Amino acid sequence: MSKKTIMLICSAGMSTSLLVTKMQKAATEKSLDVDIFAVAASDADNQIASKTIDVVLLGPQVRFMEKQIEEKLAPKSIPSAVINMADYGTMNGEKVLNLALNLIKGA
């Protein structure tokens, strides 16, 4: 599998950075080549416009943005989903990584 880019969106980009670290650890354990990064909701549009992204995950705290993000991603055929609140709360990097990878496969 070629390198995949996973973008996480949260309200300020802070809490999600810990989840990114856990996801990267899970990816390393699976020998996957992924680029995972978190952005604040206010910077999401810039990132979508300027980067090649394979999947976008939204933190539960920005669930209200789901429709708006889907509309921006549709022309680029980029899948997206809201991260399960329990997985986010427990910082379950492996489950969130699997969610992202399954969305990429299904796209």
Side-chain angles (χ1 to χ4, degrees):
M1 174 169 60
S2 60
K3 185 170 192 158
K4 299 298 177 193
T5 302
I6 302 168
M7 181 171 92
L8 279 65
I9 302 174
C10 71
S11 41
M14 296 304 204
S15 55
T16 310
S17 61
L18 177 59
L19 183 56
V20 166
T21 303
K22 301 250 182 171
M23 289 173 70
Q24 287 170 328
K25 183 176 185 283
T28 301
E29 288 170 359
K30 294 179 179 204
S31 301
L32 297 174
D33 189 14
V34 292
D35 176 24
I36 308 168
F37 66 99
V39 298
S42 59
D43 192 38
D45 290 350
N46 294 335
Q47 296 296 324
I48 291 166
S50 66
K51 287 194 173 184
T52 301
I53 299 165
D54 294 292
V55 65
V56 174
L57 299 178
L58 288 87
Q61 70 275 37
V62 291
R63 157 177 262 124
F64 67 92
M65 295 177 66
E66 186 175 17
K67 240 341 165 217
Q68 165 190 346
I69 294 295
E70 282 174 358
E71 289 169 5
K72 286 184 171 63
L73 298 175
K76 296 182 173 206
S77 299
I78 300 171
S80 65
V82 176
I83 299 168
N84 176 287
M85 195 174 296
D87 295 338
Y88 189 89
T90 58
M91 293 286 146
N92 190 328
E94 186 172 1
K95 270 196 167 175
V96 178
L97 176 64
N98 288 338
L99 168 65
L101 296 175
N102 288 333
L103 286 167
I104 292 169
K105 279 182 200 159

